[in-house]
Amino acid sequence: MYQLRTYILKDRESLDFYRNVVYPRHFVSFAKFGMAIHGLWTAANPLDLTLYVLFSFPEQDDPDMVMAEYVKSEDFQADIVGWDTSNILDYTDTFMTPSTASPLR
């Protein structure tokens, strides 16, 4: 199961800190919960404060349950040290299933 999460950040400093400091910490902690990060993207327009993150869960896992466990964990708390969650103005989640022709399956 793939999930595309799109974040809208309040300013460029928040976007840069979130993508360059916080999310790289998640690479290790996500793996402990069976999740994998496949990519982090920003828009080409420097005025666009959106971060796009593609990650996945094992097929047998319930993503809501995994995320609930993860956000309660010490790993998550360590990942967000120095981060003010109010810097995220909004986020959306899109769950996706790869087509048979997709290289990500």
Side-chain angles (χ1 to χ4, degrees):
M1 170 77 60
Y2 287 88
Q3 180 176 344
L4 178 64
R5 182 169 278 188
T6 305
Y7 297 92
I8 307 296
L9 286 299
K10 76 174 188 176
D11 54 33
R12 174 56 55 181
E13 181 181 14
S14 298
L15 173 63
D16 290 342
F17 187 83
Y18 203 51
R19 74 179 168 140
N20 294 323
V21 177
V22 175
Y23 248 94
R25 295 173 182 166
H26 289 334
F27 279 94
V28 173
S29 59
F30 269 31
K32 293 179 182 179
F33 290 81
M35 298 181 290
I37 298 172
H38 300 280
L40 303 167
W41 294 272
T42 56
N45 179 349
L47 299 177
D48 187 333
L49 302 175
T50 307
L51 176 65
Y52 303 89
V53 182
L54 179 64
F55 57 97
S56 64
F57 301 87
E59 283 187 36
Q60 71 276 6
D61 288 357
D62 177 338
D64 291 331
M65 289 180 62
V66 172
M67 287 304 289
E69 288 179 35
Y70 175 64
V71 298
K72 290 189 270 183
S73 73
E74 290 179 14
D75 291 300
F76 176 75
Q77 294 306 314
D79 286 357
I80 63 169
V81 167
W83 176 246
D84 179 353
T85 57
S86 71
N87 292 328
I88 299 172
L89 301 179
D90 194 21
Y91 73 92
T92 58
D93 289 320
T94 304
F95 289 95
M96 301 178 295
T97 303
S99 68
T100 56
S102 176
L104 293 177
R105 284 185 252 146

